[in-house]
């Protein structure tokens, strides 16, 4: 195993807001040189090819439904990986990720702090942060108001007059007075991703927040646990070893890049590895340039 070095730094202050208490911030805590998992020889995957077939939206599947599926699927995958660092170390009798080994939620020089609904920072260990993320994500994806599972059959309040998604057999609803020079999108009523299939107006915001939190867990796994346990597991027929970690993460990144669910600022802690995958085609060009980007989501206060 090559000598362990540290990751490059950046300055940022990023806040996330949610009624469920997922507010948190990211700050720079130190300046370090790149870690060796940012080297191309450690960027190989446990599978061949790329994950574009799993990321691309299928024909006849609504984009909101597809993004909801991708959110749930990537949450399922990260839960599986988190279980690895929650295993008890027989030498210490503690989980691999514990308050002594990871007193803060970091990704190299990047510190993530949890904040309550009043904007107050709560000091938490990495294990506590990940547990809070698990609890929030689990609650979000199982909330039928946030991630509806029933097909929208069409109701009088769902289709304002002029909405192109109005079923043929539905009686259009008269819209209120408006300026005839207004754009068609305005004449058709307020629109958002997933409206026609029953998703709430803040669905895209919730979706990007889910992806941002999952990314932070991945970043911690790499910066704090790539060696222990993932490198060491590679000697055991590579069961859940570092190439499998890479495969899961490149799948996640392909989806996030393709639909524009994360900003460059979000991905900065892992950007050197992402750049390698873009250069060697593990993240295809269409995904890298955000060919299917859904655009920035409305913040909660603007989504009604």
């Amino acid at each position: 195993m090559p000598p362990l070095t540290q990751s490059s730094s950046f300055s940022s202050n990023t806040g996330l807001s949610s009624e469920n208490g997922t507010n948190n911030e990211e700050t720079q805590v130190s300046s370090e040189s790149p870690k060796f998992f940012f080297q191309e020889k450690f960027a190989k995957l446990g599978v061949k090819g790329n994950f574009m077939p799993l990321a691309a939206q299928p024909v006849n599947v609504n984009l909101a439904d597809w993004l909801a599926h991708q959110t749930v699927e990537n949450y399922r995958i990260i839960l599986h990986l988190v279980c690895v660092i929650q295993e008890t170390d027989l030498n210490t009798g503690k989980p691999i990720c514990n308050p002594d080994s990871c007193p803060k939620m970091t990704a190299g020089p990047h510190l993530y702090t949890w904040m309550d609904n009043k904007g107050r920072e709560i000091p938490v260990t990495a294990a506590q942060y990940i547990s809070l993320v698990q609890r929030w994500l689990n609650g979000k994806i199982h909330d039928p108001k946030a991630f509806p599972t029933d097909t929208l059959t069409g109701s009088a309040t769902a289709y304002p007059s002029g909405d192109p998604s109005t079923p043929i057999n539905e009686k259009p609803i008269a819209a209120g007075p408006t300026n005839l020079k207004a754009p068609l999108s305005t004449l058709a009523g307020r629109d958002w991703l997933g409206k026609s299939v029953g998703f709430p107006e803040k669905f895209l915001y919730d979706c990007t927040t889910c992806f941002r939190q999952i990314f932070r867990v991945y970043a911690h796994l790499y910066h704090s646990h790539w060696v222990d346990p993932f490198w060491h597991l590679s000697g055991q027929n590579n069961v859940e070893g570092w190439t499998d970690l890479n495969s899961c993460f490149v799948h996640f990144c392909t989806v996030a890049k393709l639909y524009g669910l994360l900003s460059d600022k979000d991905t900065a802690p892992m950007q050197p590895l992402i750049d390698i995958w873009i250069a060697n085609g593990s993240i295809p060009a269409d995904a890298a340039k955000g060919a299917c980007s859904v655009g920035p989501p409305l913040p909660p206060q603007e989504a009604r």
Side-chain angles (χ1 to χ4, degrees), residues 162-179:
D163 190 328
S165 63
T166 305
I168 296 176
N169 60 349
E170 285 288 330
K171 182 179 179 180
I173 306 162
T178 187
N179 185 345

Side-chain angles (χ1 to χ4, degrees), residues 36 55 62 71 78 118 125 134 168 211 222 225 255 290 302:
F36 56 82
N62 181 273
T71 302
I78 197 65
K118 296 182 180 180
T125 66
Q134 288 180 258
I168 296 176
F211 265 75
Y222 273 94
H225 299 289
V255 175
E302 295 183 22

Side-chain angles (χ1 to χ4, degrees), residues 1-4 36-37 41-44 84 221-222 224-246:
M1 184 178 70
L4 182 64
F36 56 82
F37 52 74
K41 62 182 177 180
F42 297 113
K44 66 180 181 180
V84 179
L221 293 181
Y222 273 94
S224 297
H225 299 289
W226 191 89
V227 173
D228 185 17
F230 293 101
W231 172 272
H232 297 305
L233 284 172
S234 300
Q236 304 172 21
N237 297 319
N238 196 34
V239 177
E240 298 174 355
W242 62 275
T243 58
D244 290 331
L245 175 63
N246 283 351

Side-chain angles (χ1 to χ4, degrees), residues 8 41 46 98 116 150-151 156-157 172 286:
S8 56
K41 62 182 177 180
N98 62 71
D116 64 15
D150 294 331
T151 302
T157 58
D286 282 348

Side-chain angles (χ1 to χ4, degrees), residues 57 61-72 146-148 192-200 203-204 207 259 294:
Q57 178 188 0
V61 174
N62 181 273
L63 179 56
D65 283 325
W66 185 241
L67 292 181
H69 162 75
Q70 289 291 349
T71 302
V72 173
F147 280 68
W192 60 84
L193 179 68
K195 176 181 179 181
S196 64
V197 288
F199 283 84
F203 165 70
L204 181 56
C207 188
Y259 298 104
V294 291

Side-chain angles (χ1 to χ4, degrees), residues 248-263:
C248 295
F249 187 47
V250 78
H251 172 207
F252 171 83
C253 290
T254 300
V255 175
K257 297 288 288 184
L258 179 63
Y259 298 104
L261 300 177
L262 294 174
S263 69

